[in-house]
Amino acid sequence: MSQTAKTFPRVSLSNPLVNNLIRYLLMILLALLLFGIILLVTGKDPIQSYRDIFSATLGSTYGFSEVLLAMIPMLLTALAVALPARVGLINVGGEGQVYIGAAFATWGALAFQNKPAWILLPLMTLLGMIGGALWAFVPGYLKSIGLVNETIATLLMNSIAPKIVGFLIFGFWHSPMDTVKTDNFVSAARLPTFFDTRVHLGFVFALVLLALFWFIMKYTRWGLEMRAIGGNAQAARRNGIPLKGYLVTVMCIGGAIAGLAGMAQVSGFYGVLLLNFSMGLGFMGFLICWLAGGDPIGIFLMSFVVAVITTGGNLLQLTQGLPYAVINILLALALFVVLASPRFFEGKKA
Amino acid sequence: MPNPQNQTPMIALRGVTKRFPMTLANDHIDLDIFGSEIHALLGENGAGKSTLMKILFGFYRADAGEIQLNGKSITIRSPRDAHEYRIGMVFQDLNLIPAFSVAENIALFLPDLKAVLKPQEIDERINEVSKQYGLEVNPRALVSQLSIGEQQKVEILKLLLSNARLLILDEPTRVLAPHEVEALFGVLDNLRKDGYAIVLITHKLKEVLECADRITVLRGGRVAGSLLRAEATEEKLVALMFEKELSGLKIAEPKRDEMSTPVLELRGVETYVEGAGMSLKGINLQIRPGEIVGVAGVSGNGQKELCDVVLGMELCVRGEKYLFGKNLTNRPVGAMRKNGVSFIPENPLAMASVPFMTVLENMALTQTWRYARNGGFAMDWGVVKADIQQTAKRLEFPVNFYTIAKSLSGGNLQRMVILREMTHDPRLIVASYLTRGLDVQSALAARQALIQAREGGAGVLLVSEDLEELFTLSDRLLVLYGGRIVGEFKPPETDIYQVGHLMTGSKVEHVANG
Ligand SMILES: Nc1ncnc2c1ncn2[C@@H]1O[C@H](COP(=O)(O)OP(=O)(O)OP(=O)(O)O)[C@@H](O)[C@H]1O
Ligand SMILES: [Mg+2]
């Protein structure tokens, strides 16, 4: 038998972060390319369109702030999916949780409008989170006792939540002038904004929560236990980790974060509770979370990209006369590319 | 390499080398496999046996080396290629689809599968081959309803019908009861006579000496030696496998106080299990401090449920459970663990570990509360390591904290679980098939650890199908049949035949004390 010098273990040169960045960039390029072809086919000028998108978003301070603004609910609703996903729960109910959170916060804003901001805002934040958590508790609990699959339950409850909000608005809260929305919130019930932009405090909430999520998953006892449940629920249970408790709690926290997104929208963005105000925010969060593979940095990057596309898309409607639906095509393309990417970018198996 | 017949081997491996990020699993391995021979592959846990065979099966690619088929060099890139070259493998953990019938599972692997299935025809082909080699199974039975031994048969049938000439069996006897092992060897003998080549990986030296024609021992990824059966003895094989000589089991007389509160007491415990599985009926059981209570029985007679009830995974629908006199009936697993209950399950991959976590993280899972710092905002990994290392030193098990659990060899995973469960001075150890997949030395160490725990006053519930192990270790022996305890003995007062009879359900009316 030949005697060979034992080589040292191979050290991977590419670090995962750089790898991921390259992956995202390639994905975006590919999606842009495909979308460009679609634009060409419909007789638009893709170069000009992309230039418009760029100048409307990243090209100016204002444009950039609009992108950040659009990111706020995306970050939060994506996080509301990412956390439960760590214990193997699929929360498709972000949309419903956003509505109920917004409704709870609105009740606070309307009922206590003569209170100062330092009481009112924390109260609304809390109410929004409680609302979302309660809405998520139902599917979480049903799942934990093994009765109903949480994916189905959260999905079905999505269509109920806007109806409840509608009922509240029509029945009790609508303003004298307009039946599809409440009175404008008093200024004490509005989240403060930064500088001269519309970016509000919700952005800080989202960043803090995202960082907290990363920290908890990586360093804490609860993160370890949640990863164990996600990795092998049966083994986790046999090792003494309280499975049911975690399923319910984590689902509720996910719901609370989505509820916070709802609160941030009504208090920070609109300043009023509108009928059907969300228009798919919860689903957008789901999409972003899966695009990002549930990873906090990925969620931030993907939210940014999606926010650029949607904000830029708004402008594209005006300048190029494209219907807004076209933006959905671009988003769908991005999704497509990402879903195909594991095969595409990964090497062969070990 | 000895080759008295002077013929070309069916398969020859030359200089096969495979490196994983942390380990050199195979280091320039040469191996000859002949037709009409059973070639046993031996070696301690993590020696590289499974890896080498997975290379031959195209599941891994070798970094270097050559594979020859009948003297001609070939490249095997995938299991599909292996199929072409008529090489088949049964993995360490079986690979059947539980919701499919036997025939459907086999049909998936037929080389000439038609677009439209003809169940009748497939059944006939299965029956033909199974009769020929004594592998009788009902083709229409669902795999989920078969015992492990029967599933093993289906795996072999699957290979035979897919035209394989070389059959690689990775620890097929690990999960088999003694009578099933006998049957399997009968089958292998028939196959050998018909010219098949068989590679048999096992840790049981007796089996090797009983049925192999040629024996190759791996150690640390290299060939430590290759013998013909005539030259081999147990001592020689052990010397090739391990650096250290094996010491015998040191059994000290435990000091036991018959009057002390039992570690565990079950009073009239019953469970209710839906579907497959065996409900327990009227279980009365006491384990005193410093006592090992063995549970004999053919698997599927309530062993899993008994362990699960003790651990708190399964609810008692009737009866009570006491731990040191404290009523802990239907308390959650976490509470049992906190009270010093340890659990070594029958399947370490599915039931005890999180595959994609590191070994270190897995080690902390049963005791997260113990290692949490700052109210849970940090984990003290240093202490986890120190605790485990202490046990590792005692049992002489190697640990590599930063490998991913999934990439451990079968035996190393079992060792990981044993290490974890033996740390923190457990007061009650529930061990199911303790030595499954362990090499001779590790099995000895694991048994020694149980004995040490007994000396320290712990109670042990030991479930096994290996009657020899039960007779050596147990202070008291229970026989479980159909979810009831149908016999209770002190090992010196009984023998393997009496227990064996009870296990299969004959003579139930005779004892019936449950
Ligand atoms: N996919 C993998 N990635 C990294 N390391 C691996 C992988 N598979 C095996 N190893 C390592 O290679 C070594 C040999 O493993 P292998 O499974 O071949 O051992 P084995 O001889 O079959 O042992 P056992 O008797 O315990 O089954 C072990 O140290 C194992 O940790
Ligand atoms: Mg192995």
Side-chain angles (χ1 to χ4, degrees):
Chain A
M1 194 163 292
S2 66
Q3 188 68 46
T4 43
K6 287 198 178 176
T7 44
F8 284 103
R10 272 186 222 140
V11 182
S12 169
L13 285 178
S14 48
N15 93 41
L17 193 69
V18 174
N19 246 346
N20 266 340
L21 266 178
I22 294 175
R23 224 186 88 185
Y24 286 126
L25 278 178
L26 279 175
M27 269 157 31
I28 294 161
L29 275 181
L30 196 57
L32 288 182
L33 201 75
L34 289 172
F35 187 61
I37 295 172
I38 291 181
L39 287 177
L40 263 182
V41 170
T42 54
K44 311 287 185 218
D45 177 1
I47 308 287
Q48 187 55 42
S49 302
Y50 287 142
R51 197 174 290 159
D52 286 350
I53 290 187
F54 182 81
S55 61
T57 55
L58 309 178
S60 66
T61 331
Y62 176 75
F64 190 71
S65 76
E66 286 295 291
V67 171
L68 296 186
L69 179 68
M71 279 174 74
I72 297 171
M74 295 179 188
L75 291 173
L76 288 169
T77 50
L79 197 54
V81 179
L83 180 73
R86 288 297 170 98
V87 293
L89 288 173
I90 300 177
N91 177 18
V92 205
E95 186 73 0
Q97 293 146 15
V98 165
Y99 273 106
I100 300 298
F104 269 60
T106 302
W107 175 74
L110 299 178
F112 303 97
Q113 43 184 303
N114 43 12
K115 294 274 184 299
W118 64 269
I119 294 180
L120 197 48
L121 283 178
L123 181 74
M124 286 169 66
T125 308
L126 199 69
L127 281 170
M129 295 182 80
I130 290 174
L134 283 178
W135 202 245
F137 171 79
V138 179
Y141 178 73
L142 291 178
K143 164 79 174 187
S144 81
I145 58 171
L147 210 56
V148 185
N149 175 290
E150 83 284 2
T151 318
I152 302 295
T154 48
L155 191 65
L156 292 181
M157 286 175 70
N158 278 339
S159 43
I160 306 174
K163 308 250 160 37
I164 294 180
V165 170
F167 169 74
L168 289 171
I169 294 178
F170 293 136
F172 309 100
W173 293 343
H174 69 81
S175 80
M177 271 77 78
D178 200 341
T179 51
V180 297
K181 61 183 187 188
T182 63
D183 275 326
N184 285 344
F185 289 3
V186 294
S187 62
R190 301 291 309 264
L191 282 171
T193 55
F194 297 109
F195 312 110
D196 277 341
T197 68
R198 298 203 289 162
V199 180
H200 52 81
L201 194 60
F203 193 66
V204 178
F205 288 171
L207 288 190
V208 168
L209 285 176
L210 214 55
L212 205 61
F213 171 63
W214 170 82
F215 175 82
I216 285 179
M217 278 303 155
K218 197 164 162 66
Y219 291 107
T220 68
R221 169 183 173 187
W222 311 292
L224 181 71
E225 296 187 343
M226 282 189 267
R227 282 186 291 130
I229 293 172
N232 183 352
Q234 190 198 160
R237 231 189 113 201
R238 282 176 195 278
N239 287 344
I241 295 168
L243 183 65
K244 285 183 189 175
Y246 264 111
L247 292 186
V248 178
T249 315
V250 166
M251 199 67 187
C252 287
I253 296 176
I257 297 171
L260 180 63
M263 180 273 174
Q265 283 306 93
V266 293
S267 165
F269 188 75
Y270 294 108
V272 61
L273 178 66
L274 279 165
L275 198 67
N276 299 332
F277 71 93
S278 166
M279 294 189 302
L281 281 178
F283 296 111
M284 189 65 87
F286 190 82
L287 182 76
I288 289 169
C289 176
W290 285 96
L291 289 177
D295 160 68
I297 296 175
I299 287 177
F300 188 85
L301 293 177
M302 283 319 302
S303 296
F304 182 73
V305 171
V306 173
V308 168
I309 294 174
T310 51
T311 339
N314 284 332
L315 184 100
L316 221 53
Q317 284 181 80
L318 301 174
T319 60
Q320 295 276 329
L322 279 170
Y324 188 76
V326 170
I327 293 309
N328 288 333
I329 297 182
L330 181 52
L331 277 176
L333 282 177
L335 176 66
F336 219 71
V337 176
V338 178
L339 291 184
S341 65
R343 292 274 159 65
F344 196 79
F345 295 99
E346 249 175 67
K348 61 178 166 49
K349 73 175 168 210
Chain B
M1 197 162 282
N3 181 11
Q5 299 97 333
N6 221 359
Q7 66 200 46
T8 354
M10 181 188 281
I11 294 280
L13 303 182
R14 292 288 172 265
V16 170
T17 301
K18 175 77 188 172
R19 172 179 289 287
F20 288 116
M22 306 267 244
T23 21
L24 187 58
N26 291 155
D27 184 6
H28 294 87
I29 289 191
D30 295 343
L31 188 74
D32 289 331
I33 302 165
F34 294 91
S36 301
E37 270 193 17
I38 297 179
H39 193 138
L41 205 51
L42 283 178
E44 59 185 329
N45 292 131
K49 307 178 293 294
S50 299
T51 305
L52 185 66
M53 288 303 117
K54 282 180 187 166
I55 289 173
L56 188 49
F57 186 57
F59 194 79
Y60 292 141
R61 293 284 295 276
D63 299 332
E66 191 189 3
I67 301 173
Q68 296 167 358
L69 176 70
N70 298 322
K72 280 204 291 288
S73 180
I74 57 170
T75 328
I76 303 177
R77 284 195 197 82
S78 66
R80 183 179 283 264
D81 285 355
H83 217 99
E84 292 280 301
Y85 294 121
R86 305 179 72 179
I87 299 170
M89 177 161 176
V90 180
F91 284 92
Q92 213 156 339
D93 9 51
L94 301 179
N95 239 334
L96 297 169
I97 302 168
F100 277 21
S101 73
V102 170
E104 285 166 328
N105 265 289
I106 291 175
L108 281 177
F109 279 81
L110 288 178
D112 53 348
L113 188 62
K114 309 236 170 46
V116 180
L117 299 179
K118 291 209 195 94
Q120 207 65 47
E121 194 192 307
I122 294 173
D123 286 1
E124 270 164 32
R125 284 171 64 182
I126 292 174
N127 284 333
E128 189 187 327
V129 180
S130 58
K131 277 220 192 66
Q132 192 178 346
Y133 294 109
L135 286 162
E136 277 92 353
V137 279
N138 174 9
R140 294 296 168 86
L142 284 184
V143 164
S144 55
Q145 291 163 352
L146 300 183
S147 74
I148 292 277
E150 287 170 313
Q151 293 187 28
Q152 194 79 250
K153 283 185 186 175
V154 177
E155 288 273 15
I156 294 175
L157 271 177
K158 198 167 95 180
L159 297 189
L160 294 180
L161 279 156
S162 74
N163 276 335
R165 293 297 290 172
L166 166 61
L167 312 181
I168 305 169
L169 308 177
D170 197 347
E171 296 191 41
T173 58
R174 188 174 57 126
V175 291
L176 297 186
H179 66 278
E180 290 171 316
V181 173
E182 286 302 318
L184 175 69
F185 286 170
V187 170
L188 295 187
D189 200 41
N190 288 339
L191 290 169
R192 164 169 53 191
K193 282 184 195 131
D194 278 1
Y196 286 91
I198 294 158
V199 175
L200 178 73
I201 301 181
T202 178
H203 288 297
K204 297 180 186 151
L205 300 178
K206 284 209 187 71
E207 292 176 355
V208 170
L209 293 170
E210 183 183 328
C211 81
D213 300 294
R214 192 181 294 269
I215 302 159
T216 297
V217 179
L218 298 190
R219 181 154 112 195
R222 294 164 174 249
V223 176
S226 197
L227 306 169
L228 288 173
R229 174 169 42 181
E231 316 163 336
T233 62
E234 222 168 283
E235 292 74 42
K236 262 194 204 168
L237 293 177
V238 168
L240 282 176
M241 270 198 283
F242 306 106
E243 287 164 25
K244 228 184 52 162
E245 250 177 73
L246 287 187
S247 51
L249 206 56
K250 290 185 276 298
I251 302 188
E253 258 321 295
K255 23 186 198 314
R256 199 163 38 239
D257 179 4
E258 294 292 335
M259 298 316 293
S260 59
T261 349
V263 177
L264 175 75
E265 183 171 8
L266 298 181
R267 285 192 207 150
V269 163
E270 317 221 331
T271 64
Y272 173 70
V273 188
E274 263 178 84
M278 181 65 72
S279 304
L280 297 176
K281 297 164 199 102
I283 300 284
N284 290 305
L285 168 71
Q286 284 195 350
I287 303 178
R288 304 263 166 205
E291 189 179 37
I292 298 180
V293 175
V295 178
V298 176
S299 86
N301 275 289
Q303 289 92 330
K304 180 165 179 279
E305 289 72 17
L306 180 61
C307 294
D308 278 354
V309 151
V310 174
L311 186 68
M313 279 293 280
E314 190 95 54
L315 291 182
C316 311
V317 291
R318 192 170 302 151
E320 282 127 31
K321 173 174 74 179
Y322 294 87
L323 205 69
F324 288 103
K326 210 160 42 158
N327 188 340
L328 291 179
T329 317
N330 292 346
R331 295 296 309 281
V333 181
M336 300 304 291
R337 289 258 184 204
K338 270 199 177 167
N339 277 289
V341 178
S342 255
F343 179 55
I344 301 168
E346 60 205 55
N347 182 344
L349 192 61
M351 294 160 74
S353 54
V354 181
F356 287 101
M357 279 191 173
T358 62
V359 169
L360 183 62
E361 284 173 319
N362 266 293
M363 288 297 191
L365 289 184
T366 57
Q367 309 276 329
T368 46
W369 47 275
R370 184 191 296 268
Y371 297 117
R373 298 288 178 271
N374 307 335
F377 281 98
M379 294 290 293
D380 196 337
W381 295 109
V383 179
V384 181
K385 244 197 251 179
D387 282 358
I388 298 292
Q389 246 148 9
Q390 208 179 349
T391 321
K393 216 158 121 197
R394 183 155 60 89
L395 300 189
E396 299 185 36
F397 285 176
V399 258
N400 190 340
F401 286 114
Y402 298 103
T403 26
I404 301 295
K406 193 180 185 308
S407 72
L408 291 178
S409 79
N412 280 338
L413 191 72
Q414 178 75 355
R415 294 205 279 206
M416 175 189 96
V417 173
I418 292 176
L419 272 183
R420 179 178 74 194
E421 302 296 329
M422 289 296 180
T423 311
H424 309 302
D425 300 320
R427 301 200 291 168
L428 172 65
I429 302 166
V430 180
S432 194
Y433 304 92
L434 175 75
T435 55
R436 198 175 257 189
L438 294 185
D439 64 41
V440 187
Q441 201 171 51
S442 307
L444 207 63
R447 289 180 185 143
Q448 194 68 59
L450 277 197
I451 290 170
Q452 271 177 19
R454 167 172 73 180
E455 278 166 42
V460 179
L461 186 70
L462 178 67
V463 173
S464 177
E465 273 182 358
D466 182 344
L467 290 182
E468 223 170 291
E469 174 173 278
L470 286 176
F471 272 81
T472 332
L473 293 178
S474 314
D475 300 301
R476 208 144 44 85
L477 195 57
L478 308 176
V479 182
L480 208 55
Y481 179 77
R484 296 174 190 279
I485 294 176
V486 296
E488 180 170 345
F489 308 97
K490 293 224 176 332
E493 295 162 5
T494 181
D495 56 46
I496 289 193
Y497 296 99
Q498 191 182 10
V499 173
H501 263 294
L502 282 174
M503 280 166 64
T504 52
S506 27
K507 283 214 296 194
V508 176
E509 69 289 345
H510 173 73
V511 191
N513 72 337

